[in-house]
Amino acid sequence: QVQLMESGGGLAQAGGSLRLSCTASGVAFYNSVMGWFRQAPGKEREAVSCIRWSETDAYYADSLKDRFNVSRDEAKNTLYLQMNDLKPEDTAMYYCAARYGSEYDRGNRLICARGKFEFWGRGIQVSVSS
């Protein structure tokens, strides 16, 4: 049974940093892609970043790639999202997700689409004050 549990969220001031963690179990990591998505009130869930567990290929939303960094610790089965220079518009519920297999678009960019992911954590709130 796949279980994903997020931690590390909370309240931050604009310009500050937070690091989210996602501890995973039951996942066949060698063939998986894990990702971070977020959903702000009244908006659709959007992709933040994805990474192949056994490779270095990663995807970032264009608007976030200069401030956010995704990484994983294979020994701890944990996915991280380092968020720097936080802005009030980063306020959202952040979700960890996992899928088996990987796909690339025509530009050889890792596909990080919400509908491709089979497993989801419950989410964790990140709130950024101005």
Side-chain angles (χ1 to χ4, degrees):
Q1 181 180 2
V2 174
Q3 291 187 325
L4 305 173
M5 182 172 295
E6 302 94 342
S7 61
L11 179 64
Q13 290 188 332
S17 298
L18 283 174
R19 188 177 78 160
L20 303 183
S21 301
C22 172
T23 302
S25 61
V27 179
F29 292 104
Y30 71 94
N31 189 33
S32 69
V33 173
M34 295 190 70
W36 290 99
F37 294 77
R38 69 184 185 181
Q39 187 167 16
K43 295 187 176 181
E44 292 190 354
R45 193 171 299 187
E46 63 176 357
V48 174
S49 182
C50 292
I51 188 169
R52 286 185 63 180
W53 188 261
S54 58
E55 304 288 341
T56 58
D57 297 356
Y59 163 93
Y60 291 93
D62 289 339
S63 61
L64 301 175
K65 61 184 177 181
D66 292 334
R67 300 188 292 119
F68 288 14
N69 183 67
V70 66
S71 62
R72 73 265 191 253
D73 185 327
E74 296 182 48
K76 295 182 178 180
N77 293 344
T78 301
L79 179 74
Y80 300 102
L81 182 69
Q82 178 67 41
M83 305 185 293
N84 300 320
D85 190 22
L86 284 163
K87 305 178 184 301
E89 51 264 41
D90 295 320
T91 295
M93 187 72 78
Y94 284 71
Y95 296 89
C96 175
R99 61 162 294 185
Y100 291 125
S102 58
E103 298 176 72
Y104 292 81
D105 62 18
R106 292 183 177 181
N108 201 33
R109 193 178 185 189
L110 184 66
I111 290 177
C112 183
R114 179 185 63 190
K116 299 286 188 179
F117 283 74
E118 306 153 86
F119 309 105
W120 292 86
R122 292 187 176 184
I124 193 162
Q125 180 67 39
V126 170
S127 299
V128 183
S129 62
S130 57

